[in-house]
PDB file of all heavy atoms in Angstrom:
ATOM      1  N   PRO A  15       6.948  25.838  -4.576  1.00 96.00           N
ATOM      2  CA  PRO A  15       8.028  26.533  -5.259  1.00 96.00           C
ATOM      3  C   PRO A  15       9.028  27.073  -4.201  1.00 96.00           C
ATOM      4  O   PRO A  15       8.683  27.504  -3.153  1.00 96.00           O
ATOM      5  CB  PRO A  15       7.344  27.726  -5.923  1.00 96.00           C
ATOM      6  CG  PRO A  15       5.952  27.233  -6.178  1.00 96.00           C
ATOM      7  CD  PRO A  15       5.651  26.373  -4.977  1.00 96.00           C
ATOM      8  N   GLY A  50      22.092  25.004 -14.356  1.00 96.00           N
ATOM      9  CA  GLY A  50      20.975  25.590 -15.075  1.00 96.00           C
ATOM     10  C   GLY A  50      19.610  24.856 -14.729  1.00 96.00           C
ATOM     11  O   GLY A  50      19.474  24.130 -13.768  1.00 96.00           O
ATOM     12  N   ILE A 115      -0.733  23.731 -31.598  1.00 97.00           N
ATOM     13  CA  ILE A 115      -1.652  23.505 -32.689  1.00 97.00           C
ATOM     14  C   ILE A 115      -2.694  24.618 -32.766  1.00 97.00           C
ATOM     15  O   ILE A 115      -3.040  25.128 -33.801  1.00 97.00           O
ATOM     16  CB  ILE A 115      -2.292  22.114 -32.640  1.00 97.00           C
ATOM     17  CG1 ILE A 115      -1.275  21.035 -32.846  1.00 97.00           C
ATOM     18  CG2 ILE A 115      -3.404  21.998 -33.666  1.00 97.00           C
ATOM     19  CD1 ILE A 115      -1.709  19.628 -32.607  1.00 97.00           C
ATOM     20  N   GLY A 145       2.781   3.674 -23.662  1.00 94.00           N
ATOM     21  CA  GLY A 145       1.778   3.375 -22.679  1.00 94.00           C
ATOM     22  C   GLY A 145       0.836   4.619 -22.415  1.00 94.00           C
ATOM     23  O   GLY A 145      -0.239   4.707 -22.955  1.00 94.00           O
ATOM     24  N   VAL A 166       8.224   9.497 -18.918  1.00 82.00           N
ATOM     25  CA  VAL A 166       8.192   8.126 -19.425  1.00 82.00           C
ATOM     26  C   VAL A 166       7.586   7.194 -18.424  1.00 82.00           C
ATOM     27  O   VAL A 166       7.870   5.960 -18.433  1.00 82.00           O
ATOM     28  CB  VAL A 166       9.616   7.700 -19.845  1.00 82.00           C
ATOM     29  CG1 VAL A 166      10.117   8.485 -20.976  1.00 82.00           C
ATOM     30  CG2 VAL A 166      10.577   7.732 -18.638  1.00 82.00           C
ATOM     31  N   GLU A 178       0.381   2.178 -16.759  1.00 89.00           N
ATOM     32  CA  GLU A 178      -0.104   3.489 -16.437  1.00 89.00           C
ATOM     33  C   GLU A 178      -0.838   4.030 -17.677  1.00 89.00           C
ATOM     34  O   GLU A 178      -0.313   3.925 -18.785  1.00 89.00           O
ATOM     35  CB  GLU A 178       1.006   4.455 -16.017  1.00 89.00           C
ATOM     36  CG  GLU A 178       0.552   5.825 -15.554  1.00 89.00           C
ATOM     37  CD  GLU A 178       1.722   6.683 -15.074  1.00 89.00           C
ATOM     38  OE1 GLU A 178       2.735   6.175 -14.684  1.00 89.00           O
ATOM     39  OE2 GLU A 178       1.549   7.919 -15.130  1.00 89.00           O
ATOM     40  N   PHE A 202      -3.371   3.614 -31.221  1.00 98.00           N
ATOM     41  CA  PHE A 202      -4.722   4.030 -30.783  1.00 98.00           C
ATOM     42  C   PHE A 202      -4.656   5.348 -30.125  1.00 98.00           C
ATOM     43  O   PHE A 202      -5.443   6.275 -30.363  1.00 98.00           O
ATOM     44  CB  PHE A 202      -5.373   2.947 -29.883  1.00 98.00           C
ATOM     45  CG  PHE A 202      -6.723   3.373 -29.379  1.00 98.00           C
ATOM     46  CD1 PHE A 202      -7.873   2.956 -29.993  1.00 98.00           C
ATOM     47  CD2 PHE A 202      -6.823   4.116 -28.196  1.00 98.00           C
ATOM     48  CE1 PHE A 202      -9.124   3.366 -29.554  1.00 98.00           C
ATOM     49  CE2 PHE A 202      -8.091   4.515 -27.705  1.00 98.00           C
ATOM     50  CZ  PHE A 202      -9.223   4.096 -28.366  1.00 98.00           C
ATOM     51  N   ALA A 253      -0.454  -2.615 -37.666  1.00 95.00           N
ATOM     52  CA  ALA A 253       0.395  -3.478 -36.875  1.00 95.00           C
ATOM     53  C   ALA A 253       1.696  -2.738 -36.380  1.00 95.00           C
ATOM     54  O   ALA A 253       2.261  -3.081 -35.391  1.00 95.00           O
ATOM     55  CB  ALA A 253       0.812  -4.708 -37.725  1.00 95.00           C
ATOM     56  N   MET A 258       1.018   3.324 -40.348  1.00 98.00           N
ATOM     57  CA  MET A 258       0.166   4.482 -40.081  1.00 98.00           C
ATOM     58  C   MET A 258       0.834   5.736 -40.588  1.00 98.00           C
ATOM     59  O   MET A 258       0.118   6.632 -41.135  1.00 98.00           O
ATOM     60  CB  MET A 258      -0.124   4.605 -38.559  1.00 98.00           C
ATOM     61  CG  MET A 258      -1.085   5.710 -38.194  1.00 98.00           C
ATOM     62  SD  MET A 258      -1.476   5.685 -36.443  1.00 98.00           S
ATOM     63  CE  MET A 258      -2.569   7.109 -36.304  1.00 98.00           C
ATOM     64  N   LYS A 264       0.215  10.253 -47.054  1.00 96.00           N
ATOM     65  CA  LYS A 264      -0.625  10.267 -48.218  1.00 96.00           C
ATOM     66  C   LYS A 264      -1.833  11.168 -47.947  1.00 96.00           C
ATOM     67  O   LYS A 264      -2.214  11.889 -48.849  1.00 96.00           O
ATOM     68  CB  LYS A 264      -1.132   8.848 -48.466  1.00 96.00           C
ATOM     69  CG  LYS A 264      -0.114   7.859 -49.037  1.00 96.00           C
ATOM     70  CD  LYS A 264      -0.680   6.483 -49.278  1.00 96.00           C
ATOM     71  CE  LYS A 264       0.381   5.537 -49.787  1.00 96.00           C
ATOM     72  NZ  LYS A 264      -0.199   4.170 -49.961  1.00 96.00           N
ATOM     73  N   ALA A 315     -69.067  37.422 -77.230  1.00 43.00           N
ATOM     74  CA  ALA A 315     -69.711  38.313 -78.235  1.00 43.00           C
ATOM     75  C   ALA A 315     -70.577  37.500 -79.170  1.00 43.00           C
ATOM     76  O   ALA A 315     -71.481  38.006 -79.743  1.00 43.00           O
ATOM     77  CB  ALA A 315     -68.612  39.102 -78.981  1.00 43.00           C
TER      78      ALA A 315
END
Side-chain angles (χ1 to χ4, degrees):
I115 292 173
V166 297
E178 185 177 336
F202 176 92
M258 184 175 177
K264 289 180 181 177

